[in-house]
Amino acid sequence: MEVLSVASEVYPLVKTGGLADVAGALPLALKQNGVSVRTLMPGYPAVMRAINNPKVVGSFDDLLGAKADVLAVEHQGLDLLVLDAPALFDRPGGPYLDTNGKDHADNWLRFAALSKAGAQTAQDGIGGWRPDIVHVHDWQAAMVPAYMRFSDAREVPSLITIHNIAFQGQYGAEIFPDLDLPQHAFGIDGVEYFGGVGYLKAGLQASWAISTVSPSYAEEILTPEFGMGLEGLLSHRAGDLHGIVNGIDDAVWDPATDRNLRANYTATTLKNRAANKIALAERFGLDRDRAPLFCVVSRLTWQKGMDLLAKAVDDLVDAGAKLAILGSGDAALEQAFQAAAARHPGRVSLVTGYDEPLSHLMQAGSDAIIIPSRFEPCGLTQLYGLRYGCVPIVARTGGLNDTVIDASHAGLAAGAATGVAFGPITAMNLRRALRRAVTLYGESKTWTALQKQGMKTDVSWMKSAALYANLYKTLLAKKGS
Ligand SMILES: Nc1ncnc2c1ncn2[C@@H]1O[C@H](COP(=O)(O)OP(=O)(O)O[C@H]2O[C@H](CO)[C@@H](O)[C@H](O)[C@H]2O)[C@@H](O)[C@H]1O
């Protein structure tokens, strides 16, 4: 089976968050299920620099006003189709933000163009290749199914995956004439959303099936609390909605071979983690003592519950733990953590920015990772934590709920526990969970059992890739029927 995947970021070429990890790892796992994936992504400068010997397999003279080539290239096992459209993608800044941290003003055009190129590639094929299925990710690629639905060419079965429903790609009606869609597409069954244009809404409406990245979150988004305005449409399509939990690339995330660590280890050589803990203490300027070291690797936002953590820091230090934070995001939250670091020198420290190698070392050297998210479609850092013996302390929500087993009396007695989970999600309950983790850390046998049980958990893509392959098959069967 041949699948066209369309995504706005793909690890290892460009990553701002978990979407890139999934878009980069799922194709590799699908290969083992007899599914070959080609991934269409924008030709940002970092991508153009990284690829070698690309071949032009298609071109557009007028892709929503831009000239574009489609370059086929293989990169670290991924089969890529790079949309080389300099007017849209060759510019400083990140995939979505300019150098001042503001959205690129023409994001609506950039990602409509990506989607239009995706739709056309799916429908007409490219360089003699034709996909059986199109799988698109998040709002940036969500217009692919809409472009297919409103064109005269044959429609290809499509799946849209929601990684983060908080970002929906909503624009004013004034962009509609520039999207190259027929007038009737601007309706409730099309791209129209509250009088404007909604990219994610359009994708959810037009796609043959919808998935999100954990079973719990698939249920949560049917409610007003989590659906962010789309719960009505999603409930209407509940029969086509699937929750498939994310896996991780266990070759990239393997403590036995990871080159970002000071010392490699396995579940039977957990003592080697100590060298990584020292490396972290040096990097963060934290005291080198026997106290538990907790960490955070996250965007510093309300979604991730970072304001709750800011309220719990003093109590965490009081309980005897140290805290290392890697992240960036809301200025107010960065300041709150800087202030906490100033109040607690040697006990709390923040590294701002995005640092992939350091994120690996943090999983390998910290005793626990704190993930107090208010909502979490799946979450990947708890999966990395499980694999690295870095015990996850998580809010009971979405995918966190589906992947971490709480160290309750029953969980411990059954030998099933892998972490600490808390809810309802409040600062007070987070404080309690952190204190509970410090106590568990003090019972070294229990703690080691938690670490080992986590490391035994299958967090690979194996099971979930098979579920995606089955879903693709169901869609193909629908096409035939
Ligand atoms: N400062 C930093 N330096 C280095 N690395 C950093 C970093 N901050 C974050 N990261 C990395 O970025 C990724 C973040 O992934 P998450 O799943 O936690 O959330 P995100 O909200 O981006 O993804 C959305 O999509 C994913 C994928 O489906 C869902 O799991 C998730 O719930 C959903 O919100 C992880 O690989 C993490 O290690």
Side-chain angles (χ1 to χ4, degrees):
M1 189 190 307
E2 302 286 328
V3 173
L4 174 67
S5 168
V6 186
S8 57
E9 51 181 278
V10 181
Y11 179 87
L13 287 150
V14 54
K15 167 170 166 179
T16 71
L19 164 62
D21 289 318
V22 174
L26 180 56
L28 305 176
L30 280 167
K31 233 178 235 175
Q32 290 153 33
N33 288 268
V35 178
S36 43
V37 180
R38 299 185 89 173
T39 304
L40 177 70
M41 69 179 303
Y44 310 114
V47 175
M48 299 306 289
R49 277 195 303 272
I51 56 177
N52 283 317
N53 301 321
K55 202 172 121 203
V56 179
V57 287
S59 40
F60 298 88
D61 285 335
D62 181 9
L63 182 64
L64 304 184
K67 274 194 184 310
D69 285 333
V70 179
L71 313 177
V73 67
E74 206 251 305
H75 186 84
Q76 300 195 13
L78 292 172
D79 240 329
L80 299 176
L81 294 170
V82 175
L83 186 63
D84 179 19
L88 300 172
F89 301 121
D90 183 14
R91 58 178 74 169
Y96 319 119
L97 306 178
D98 65 19
T99 44
N100 296 318
K102 296 250 178 315
D103 281 353
H104 295 294
D106 56 351
N107 275 347
W108 65 273
L109 179 64
R110 300 167 78 225
F111 295 110
L114 174 71
S115 297
K116 189 160 172 59
Q120 222 155 302
T121 301
Q123 292 178 295
D124 303 344
I126 199 158
W129 176 80
R130 257 171 200 273
D132 302 300
I133 301 277
V134 196
H135 184 173
V136 307
H137 300 271
D138 272 354
W139 75 268
Q140 296 92 338
M143 290 286 274
V144 173
Y147 275 114
M148 288 199 288
R149 177 66 47 93
F150 294 105
S151 88
D152 296 331
R154 78 184 180 121
E155 200 176 321
V156 180
S158 51
L159 169 66
I160 181 165
T161 297
I162 303 170
H163 297 267
N164 200 334
I165 207 166
F167 301 104
Q168 300 188 355
Q170 265 170 264
Y171 298 101
E174 69 281 0
I175 70 161
F176 181 75
D178 294 319
L179 293 178
D180 199 12
L181 281 163
Q183 189 55 42
H184 67 274
F186 193 75
I188 188 149
D189 293 336
V191 306
E192 189 271 333
Y193 190 49
F194 290 118
V197 177
Y199 285 27
L200 184 61
K201 180 265 173 177
L204 296 177
Q205 188 82 48
S207 202
W208 288 35
I210 301 168
S211 74
T212 189
V213 287
S214 69
S216 283
Y217 193 64
E219 286 179 20
E220 288 169 354
I221 52 178
L222 300 179
T223 67
E225 193 189 343
F226 293 96
M228 305 222 163
L230 290 167
E231 61 277 5
L233 166 52
L234 286 166
S235 298
H236 183 65
R237 297 218 55 197
D240 298 317
L241 174 63
H242 307 264
I244 302 179
V245 74
N246 284 334
I248 65 171
D249 186 331
D250 51 11
V252 173
W253 292 91
D254 182 357
T257 56
D258 193 329
R259 291 190 180 179
N260 302 299
L261 315 191
R262 186 170 285 180
N264 291 111
Y265 60 94
T266 64
T268 52
T269 54
L270 277 173
K271 284 200 167 66
N272 293 357
R273 294 183 96 255
N276 298 316
K277 192 166 174 177
I278 291 171
L280 273 188
E282 287 168 1
R283 177 74 195 265
F284 279 83
L286 292 168
D287 298 340
R288 275 177 58 172
D289 55 22
R290 299 176 75 86
L293 172 58
F294 294 177
C295 78
V296 167
V297 180
S298 181
R299 285 184 285 119
L300 303 180
T301 61
W302 182 89
Q303 176 202 337
K304 299 292 184 185
M306 286 297 130
D307 53 318
L308 304 176
L309 182 61
K311 287 186 191 138
V313 174
D314 293 344
D315 195 59
L316 178 66
V317 173
D318 194 45
K322 292 175 292 189
L323 179 62
I325 303 167
L326 168 63
S328 60
D330 294 355
L333 286 170
E334 278 183 30
Q335 278 163 18
F337 287 121
Q338 294 288 15
R343 282 198 303 281
H344 305 289
R347 312 310 289 172
V348 176
S349 178
L350 167 71
V351 169
T352 47
Y354 193 91
D355 189 332
E356 188 78 24
L358 181 57
S359 74
H360 286 240
L361 181 65
M362 293 186 72
Q363 299 278 9
S366 309
D367 297 301
I369 180 158
I370 310 170
I371 312 165
S373 309
R374 286 212 169 70
F375 69 93
E376 197 59 81
C378 179
L380 294 172
T381 53
Q382 83 280 13
L383 303 182
Y384 301 138
L386 291 171
R387 178 119 168 103
Y388 277 62
C390 180
V391 175
I393 302 170
V394 302
R396 274 188 219 275
T397 188
L400 298 174
N401 214 10
D402 291 343
T403 54
V404 176
I405 301 174
D406 180 52
S408 64
H409 184 68
L412 287 172
T418 55
V420 173
F422 72 94
I425 304 163
T426 61
M428 195 211 283
N429 288 336
L430 172 59
R431 273 189 216 112
R432 285 202 186 119
L434 295 171
R435 283 205 173 250
R436 189 149 66 89
V438 172
T439 306
L440 286 166
Y441 180 82
E443 301 159 13
S444 66
K445 266 199 185 145
T446 310
W447 192 260
T448 309
L450 280 180
Q451 288 179 296
K452 289 197 169 172
Q453 191 58 25
M455 292 178 87
K456 255 200 248 167
T457 308
D458 180 7
V459 288
S460 77
W461 267 108
M462 212 156 66
K463 284 196 195 111
S464 294
L467 293 175
Y468 275 109
N470 276 338
L471 183 50
Y472 297 154
K473 277 186 205 139
T474 315
L475 292 179
L476 268 186
K478 231 187 194 176
K479 185 185 175 199
S481 65

